[in-house]
Amino acid sequence: MHETRNAPLAPLTTLRLGGAAARLITATTDDEVVAAVAEADASGTPLLLIGGGSNLVIADSGFPGTALRIATTGFALDGTRLELAAGEDWSAAVGRAVEAGLAGIECLAGIPGSAGATPVQNVGAYGQEVSSVLTEVVAYDRLSRATVTLPAAACGFAYRHSRFKADPDRFVVLRVRFALEDAGGLSAPIRYAEAARLLGVEPGDRVPAAEARDAVVKLRTGKGMVLDPEDHDTWSAGSFFTNPLLDEAQFAAFLDRVADRLGPDVAAPAYPAEDGLTKTSAAWLIERAGFTKGYGTGPARISGKHTLALTNRGTARTADLLALAREVRDGVRATFGVTLVNEPVLVGTSL
């Protein structure tokens, strides 16, 4: 393990924001991760886990305890079974799986961050979610002080949610296991209309997995969702807000607001979700509330490529980003009566 005192955390995040940690430990093996977590728990030291840093918004004041950077490596493929160490670069792992001719995660290409974060958020994009192919999560249980293996059914997966997100202080993901598909080099059925249009196929069709991956990367790049140090539109945490899930009464009230504000002929996005809920589009809400691409004049602005991304233009502080987030959230609520919820984890601060 490598240890640093008063360590800047901003360089470890895709937003490049946040103060220093009192102590930063970099662990490169599962045993080192478990030892560092156990030590922090035994001493009562606050602990912050960092993987790829793509889903963290850290306070300008930093973190007063131990930040543990999980830098473990491991890519093991056995037929269609894939095991990844938590610290593996997710996008690179997707690329290797595609090159091996396997399907199931090709539309999750280009997503920044580490493999260990994917079950926490139940990462999804362009018609795929990790929960559809994940079989097991190996984790350190801080309650029982033991390493456990959780089957997918025990992970509590839902839209951008999981047991790990619901109880963030209990489990530390060490390894993630997937069952992919050998479709003769073809992708899983293309579910997302935008990807299908780019590929020139109908939803439900299959294409070579590499073509699906490349199409998704092209779409993500056009939206500033592929990291580029020279492009401030990519200095973000990806989508800052999740798509709202509304019950029947909330959805009816929302439609009334849309008709009142935008006119009776305007159709709001609506997609059936679990438990009888309806999902609508956060990006649509943000844009219709007046927050267009590039909105803002300060060091934190909405991306010029995607209204869901709040970006650091190079000199922002976390306070600047959160002020923008609050302005957007409050503006959407005032316009449509819907409260947006942040997707990234806020550390030492709140929205």
Side-chain angles (χ1 to χ4, degrees):
M1 286 189 289
H2 181 265
E3 180 178 328
T4 307
R5 297 283 179 171
N6 195 31
L9 295 179
L12 302 181
T13 73
T14 53
L15 272 164
R16 296 167 173 81
L17 294 177
R23 180 189 187 209
L24 172 66
I25 293 176
T26 299
T28 58
T29 69
D30 290 354
D31 287 345
E32 289 180 353
V33 172
V34 170
V37 174
E39 178 195 46
D41 289 348
S43 62
T45 302
L47 182 68
L48 171 64
L49 303 176
I50 300 178
S54 60
N55 202 46
L56 290 178
V57 179
I58 299 173
D60 291 314
S61 58
F63 187 70
T66 295
L68 173 59
R69 179 171 173 259
I70 300 177
T72 53
T73 57
F75 178 104
L77 194 57
D78 181 11
T80 58
R81 301 282 174 170
L82 173 63
E83 178 180 285
L84 299 176
E88 276 288 326
D89 179 270
W90 172 251
S91 188
V94 170
R96 291 177 69 179
V98 169
E99 294 306 317
L102 299 177
I105 54 175
E106 61 279 359
C107 291
L108 303 179
I111 295 176
S114 61
T118 60
V120 178
Q121 288 291 114
N122 186 18
V123 165
Y126 296 99
Q128 291 183 345
E129 286 183 335
V130 294
S131 58
S132 66
V133 290
L134 184 146
T135 58
E136 293 178 331
V137 174
V138 180
Y140 177 68
D141 184 346
R142 297 169 70 181
L143 183 62
S144 66
R145 300 180 184 178
T147 298
V148 297
T149 299
L150 300 171
C155 294
F157 289 126
Y159 169 67
R160 300 297 177 270
H161 195 69
S162 71
R163 180 180 184 179
F164 311 106
K165 186 175 181 178
D167 192 1
D169 295 327
R170 179 167 179 181
F171 295 103
V172 179
V173 176
L174 301 174
R175 297 191 169 266
V176 189
R177 295 171 179 154
F178 304 92
L180 303 180
E181 179 188 5
D182 184 352
L186 296 179
S187 68
I190 301 299
R191 305 290 185 194
Y192 202 78
E194 186 180 16
R197 285 195 297 270
L198 180 59
L199 289 162
V201 300
E202 294 296 321
D205 288 348
R206 294 177 185 260
V207 300
E211 290 185 14
R213 173 202 60 198
D214 294 345
V216 164
V217 171
K218 183 176 181 179
L219 289 170
R220 291 185 64 85
T221 300
K223 297 175 182 179
M225 294 295 187
V226 175
L227 294 177
D228 179 353
E230 304 303 316
D231 183 0
H232 288 296
D233 273 336
T234 73
W235 288 32
S236 75
S239 298
F240 196 89
F241 297 105
T242 59
N243 290 321
L245 296 172
L246 308 176
D247 62 26
E248 186 175 352
Q250 291 170 331
F251 186 61
F254 166 59
L255 292 181
D256 287 342
R257 288 284 195 113
V258 171
D260 181 59
R261 297 301 180 101
L262 304 179
D265 297 329
V266 174
Y271 312 95
E274 296 177 352
D275 301 323
L277 301 176
T278 299
K279 180 167 66 174
T280 191
S281 166
W284 189 91
L285 293 171
I286 292 168
E287 291 171 2
R288 299 313 187 279
F291 303 101
T292 55
K293 294 174 184 176
Y295 177 87
T297 58
R301 303 176 201 169
I302 292 178
S303 166
K305 299 182 178 71
H306 197 320
T307 48
L308 269 182
L310 308 186
T311 65
N312 170 10
R313 309 315 293 184
T315 60
R317 302 174 73 246
T318 300
D320 300 317
L321 185 89
L322 293 181
L324 175 62
R326 294 184 190 106
E327 183 183 2
V328 171
R329 179 201 60 191
D330 294 348
V332 167
R333 184 166 52 203
T335 303
F336 295 113
V338 175
T339 301
L340 296 178
V341 176
N342 54 285
E343 184 168 335
V345 176
L346 307 184
V347 179
T349 187
S350 64
L351 195 56

